[in-house]
Amino acid sequence: MATYLIDQETSEQYAVTEPTCTVGSGANNNIVLNYDHVQSVHVNIDFRGDACYATLAPGASKMRKFLFFFDIPTAKYNEIPLDGSPRKLTTGDRLLIGSRLLEFHLI
């Protein structure tokens, strides 16, 4: 089973190869995204049996928009803010991580 995240702007493919795959801007992540608003460890992607789930990484936070004093979600799953609740991923699902839109593919 091959699993990928495909950047919708650059078409770059990121292989999800570990049972728990971390995504973020830090060099120790399985998938490193050096883009605006991507936190050091931003999203976890976990395999559980034959399914794959995405969650906001512990410690990842929402950005605060200071001018208007409200929180902006920095990760979304199919347009829904991603939080600590696991979201099951299927082919074609989209993850917005910081400023990057990635599409999930399970082959």
Side-chain angles (χ1 to χ4, degrees):
M1 168 174 30
T3 307
Y4 297 93
L5 292 173
I6 301 173
D7 189 307
Q8 296 301 285
E9 185 175 325
T10 66
S11 298
E12 187 168 354
Q13 293 185 16
Y14 302 97
V16 179
T17 58
E18 300 296 323
T20 296
C21 183
T22 58
V23 181
S25 61
N28 292 334
N29 288 294
N30 303 100
I31 297 174
V32 178
L33 300 175
N34 287 316
Y35 296 104
D36 292 338
H37 311 297
V38 177
Q39 296 180 23
S40 181
V41 179
H42 206 119
V43 171
N44 291 330
I45 298 175
D46 299 301
F47 285 98
R48 298 180 192 168
D50 291 337
C52 208
Y53 295 85
T55 55
L56 191 65
S61 64
K62 295 180 179 181
M63 275 180 27
R64 172 133 339 242
K65 187 166 177 115
F66 292 104
L67 183 59
F68 298 106
F69 299 102
F70 61 91
D71 290 331
I72 302 170
T74 59
K76 290 184 177 183
Y77 160 80
N78 292 335
E79 302 298 320
I80 300 168
L82 195 59
D83 56 19
S85 302
R87 304 287 182 169
K88 186 175 181 180
L89 297 170
T90 58
T91 296
D93 284 347
R94 292 179 173 212
L95 291 172
L96 179 67
I97 301 174
S99 62
R100 306 314 290 184
L101 183 60
L102 306 171
E103 189 170 280
F104 179 80
H105 288 270
L106 179 64
I107 302 169

